[in-house]
Amino acid sequence: MVRTVIIEAAGGAEQLKLVDREVGAPGAGEVRIRHRACGLNFIDVYQRMGLYPLELPHALGMEAAGDVVAVGEGVTHLSDGDRVAYAATPPGAYCEERVMPAAQVCRLPDEVSYETAAAMMLQGMTVEYLFHRVTPLGRGDRVLFHAAAGGVGLIACQWARSEGIELIGTAGGPEKCALALEHGATHCIDYTAEDFVARVKELTGGKGVDAVMDGVGADTFDGSLDCLRPMGFMISFGNASGPVPPVSLLTLAQKGSLKLTRTTLFNFIARHEDCQEIAAHLFEKVAAGAVNVRIGQTFPLGEVAEAHRALEGRRTTGSTILTL
């Protein structure tokens, strides 16, 4: 029996329950993993709330790091004893051990700790695809990145700096802005004290940015469109403040023939080879010191409800992990 966090009904953090479950042997194409640390992300909150519905009861958690303890038939890229990490479906990472599909499980280099891996897989692979797989971005381009002091944001700040991309961040308060600047943001706008649209226009000489990367959602979407240059690219990848209301295509035309997409990591890592390539790129950045993952908060598995409340209340910086 292993400890596992489940929900039996959608709702608040009080729905999270710690139960004992049996873990069987892996079937074809599967591995069994003993976890060392698990990551916490907003997608976990969306699933718990029912915004992204699950068939209940269901275990939660999308990323973790640990050791392979058994390999199913047909799995060739992993072996017993391998250090591994993943951010992948199906949910169920909030546990001591699990069996899961092997295709999106990645061998973890010795240079990357279990805790760092658990804190960065979903967020770091998200940053990789945002900067390399949605629209062409290169040295000298300008990007507006909301929530730049969060887990994804701090990785994005460093990633942009390593690629020669000018990142303009937004964050709530001077301390969070200072953190984003420390991690590589070229500028950071305190949205509690400044109009981010006006400040972006000022910083870009009225031209606007090449791309906006927005994981906040409803609160920032309309203003983000106004920050783009003509033919600029709006990349919505999260809903921390709630889902974005329907958008008229005529609005995109009127604001400069803008491009718009709503992305999710799991489409970009659906193919085994793509997932392994994205993870390898992330591991290279971390091993080279170009990206340092900041673990801002650590909670024991049994305090997962408080971890969720902290994340929802915007009381976190950097990444949050659960320890076992």
Side-chain angles (χ1 to χ4, degrees):
M1 302 287 281
V2 302
R3 295 185 303 157
T4 303
V5 176
I6 67 166
I7 57 169
E8 296 175 329
E14 71 279 359
Q15 297 294 340
L16 296 162
K17 296 183 178 181
L18 190 62
V19 300
D20 291 326
R21 278 187 163 185
E22 293 282 356
V23 181
E30 295 181 330
V31 289
R32 178 167 171 165
I33 302 170
R34 180 178 298 122
H35 289 155
R36 301 293 191 98
C38 311
L40 186 81
N41 298 280
F42 256 105
I43 190 172
D44 308 344
V45 175
Y46 303 153
Q47 290 170 343
R48 190 206 73 218
M49 293 171 59
L51 181 62
Y52 297 170
L54 299 173
E55 185 176 337
L56 301 178
H58 209 296
L60 288 188
M62 301 299 293
E63 71 177 338
D67 303 296
V68 174
V69 294
V71 176
E73 182 183 354
V75 176
T76 59
H77 71 291
L78 298 172
S79 302
D80 289 2
D82 280 351
R83 302 173 72 249
V84 293
Y86 66 86
T89 56
Y94 294 175
C95 65
E96 293 172 327
E97 289 190 31
R98 73 180 296 195
V99 169
M100 66 177 294
Q104 278 68 46
V105 178
C106 307
R107 187 180 290 109
L108 185 63
D110 291 340
E111 296 86 354
V112 182
S113 71
Y114 295 109
E115 293 77 15
T116 295
M120 77 176 189
M121 288 300 289
L122 192 146
Q123 296 170 349
M125 291 200 295
T126 295
V127 170
E128 202 278 351
Y129 89 70
L130 287 173
F131 279 89
H132 295 278
R133 297 167 194 270
V134 180
T135 188
L137 290 170
R139 185 170 298 276
D141 286 338
R142 288 184 173 128
V143 168
L144 174 65
F145 201 102
H146 290 296
V152 180
L154 292 182
I155 295 173
C157 289
Q158 297 173 81
W159 202 288
R161 179 172 58 187
S162 74
E163 300 282 333
I165 293 169
E166 181 180 331
L167 185 144
I168 302 171
T170 69
E175 291 184 358
K176 288 190 174 183
C177 283
L179 192 60
L181 292 169
E182 177 188 332
H183 282 74
T186 309
H187 309 279
C188 194
I189 302 164
D190 179 357
Y191 63 77
T192 67
E194 292 186 275
D195 179 338
F196 75 82
V197 177
R199 183 66 175 132
V200 167
K201 291 295 179 67
E202 180 184 344
L203 290 169
T204 61
K207 295 178 180 178
V209 296
D210 299 289
V212 176
M213 299 177 180
D214 187 356
V216 174
D219 288 354
T220 51
F221 183 82
D222 289 337
S224 294
L225 295 181
D226 292 331
C227 292
L228 286 164
R229 64 164 174 79
M231 283 81 76
F233 210 128
M234 174 71 192
I235 307 169
S236 175
F237 68 94
N239 318 291
S241 66
V244 175
V247 181
S248 169
L249 292 178
L250 286 176
T251 299
L252 302 179
Q254 292 161 358
K255 291 181 180 291
S257 298
L258 304 180
K259 291 167 280 187
L260 168 64
T261 186
R262 175 58 168 93
T263 62
T264 178
L265 170 66
F266 303 107
N267 293 136
F268 288 86
I269 63 171
R271 293 198 319 155
H272 168 74
E273 52 267 42
D274 292 337
C275 179
Q276 301 298 320
E277 182 179 286
I278 290 172
H281 195 183
L282 173 61
F283 295 151
E284 288 170 11
K285 289 279 190 185
V286 173
V291 170
N292 292 297
V293 179
R294 185 179 192 274
I295 300 173
Q297 302 75 218
T298 300
F299 295 86
L301 185 65
E303 295 180 13
V304 63
E306 179 55 30
H308 270 236
R309 292 186 186 102
L311 186 64
E312 288 179 273
R314 301 194 183 187
R315 292 185 279 116
T316 65
T317 57
S319 300
T320 302
I321 63 170
L322 304 172
T323 55
L324 302 166

